[in-house]
Amino acid sequence: MLGWAFEANVGEVKSALEKRGKVKVELIMIRPDTLAEGLKATQPEMLFSPLALPDIEIKTEKNGKEKQVRVTLKGVALFDRKHRRTEYKHAGSGYVSAWYLDEDYDGDCFVDCQMFFDFRKKPALSKLGVEVPDDEFTLKLTSDPFPVRGYKRIAVKVVDVYGNESVVVRDLAT
């Protein structure tokens, strides 16, 4: 399937279609800049990129009477066109530039509740009089704990080093 944008639950739909029978679904993003005059990619191999589906782990824990959740980004699965197979990239491999967590996804609007970035180079914040520990500039793979809320669903958005975005949605068991 080729597209400029995919719904957040595309991974679940893909899995459901593949479970029905002998069909393999590959999700390929068409670069949005191919539509803009003057920004068109000139090399054919740059026109399409595989949609990487985030691989996450959800753990629940008790904090007194309240149930809290932590999400860990394990990696992303992407389709390697050259070898015609799905390739797995671990979250700490340098392929993921950033990931975002919507702690109470309503199925419509993605709200960044927690954001995690991988800085290739530490910003020169000391010139501004700001001191930040070095570990704050590396990609954190596990979220801070948060309570289960009204919609009882989360969404995780991953941005890769090429600027491609992909989202996975999961229901939280109550």
Side-chain angles (χ1 to χ4, degrees), residues 32-75:
D33 60 356
T34 59
L35 296 175
E37 195 60 41
L39 294 177
K40 292 184 180 177
T42 56
Q43 299 170 335
E45 63 272 10
M46 293 176 60
L47 294 176
F48 307 102
S49 61
L51 181 66
L53 296 175
D55 178 19
I56 62 171
E57 180 178 69
I58 300 168
K59 289 189 177 178
T60 54
E61 51 194 46
K62 288 278 190 181
N63 184 5
K65 291 185 179 183
E66 184 178 59
K67 183 164 75 168
Q68 292 197 321
V69 179
R70 284 186 191 263
V71 177
T72 299
L73 177 65
K74 295 171 66 178

Side-chain angles (χ1 to χ4, degrees), residues 93-136:
S93 69
Y95 181 79
V96 175
S97 289
W99 68 284
Y100 309 89
L101 171 64
D102 184 338
E103 300 171 355
D104 194 27
Y105 184 61
D106 67 1
D108 189 27
C109 293
F110 188 97
V111 178
D112 299 328
C113 299
Q114 296 188 43
M115 298 173 271
F116 309 97
F117 301 95
D118 188 13
F119 292 89
R120 299 282 180 237
K121 183 177 158 185
K122 181 180 173 182
L125 297 176
S126 59
K127 294 177 184 177
L128 300 172
V130 177
E131 292 299 324
V132 178
D134 286 345
D135 65 342
E136 291 293 322

Side-chain angles (χ1 to χ4, degrees), residues 2-22:
L2 295 172
W4 278 278
F6 290 94
E7 291 286 330
N9 68 341
V10 70
E12 294 165 307
V13 172
K14 175 186 182 303
S15 295
L17 287 171
E18 289 178 340
K19 285 179 185 175
R20 286 184 181 177
K22 299 175 184 177

